[in-house]
Amino acid sequence: MKCVYLLQCISHPDQNDVGLADDLRTRLKLHNAGGSPHTSKFRPWRLVTYVAFSDPAKAVAFERYMKSGSGSAFAKKRLY
């Protein structure tokens, strides 16, 4: 299973991140440990939501959509 996840910075709630992971718990721990250069300066992170996909291609397409302007607007209006 592939998961597309949405994170929100606890200390800076206006900072969000969207990503793709095989192991969501490990990935969240990596973000909070500073293992991702993009998100290390806004630690700690909390998981807002995730969607699991059995088809990896659909997961990649959904992550790409969530990172687009339309997907970002949807997430800010409906998910955060």
Side-chain angles (χ1 to χ4, degrees), residues 27-39:
R27 187 69 178 138
L28 182 57
K29 286 178 186 176
L30 182 70
H31 278 292
N32 283 325
S36 175
H38 175 71
T39 60

Side-chain angles (χ1 to χ4, degrees), residues 5-72:
Y5 59 85
L6 284 76
L7 302 178
Q8 183 176 43
C9 178
I10 293 170
S11 57
H12 299 91
D14 58 320
Q15 294 296 319
N16 304 307
D17 186 59
V18 175
L20 181 67
D22 291 322
D23 184 348
L24 188 55
R25 288 182 186 175
T26 301
R27 187 69 178 138
L28 182 57
K29 286 178 186 176
L30 182 70
H31 278 292
N32 283 325
S36 175
H38 175 71
T39 60
S40 63
K41 58 188 163 262
F42 294 110
R43 295 181 287 163
W45 294 92
R46 73 175 186 92
L47 180 65
V48 174
T49 193
Y50 71 93
V51 180
F53 292 86
S54 58
D55 182 349
K58 288 184 180 181
V60 170
F62 186 67
E63 180 198 24
R64 191 174 305 128
Y65 165 71
M66 292 305 293
K67 289 183 173 184
S68 73
S70 177
S72 179

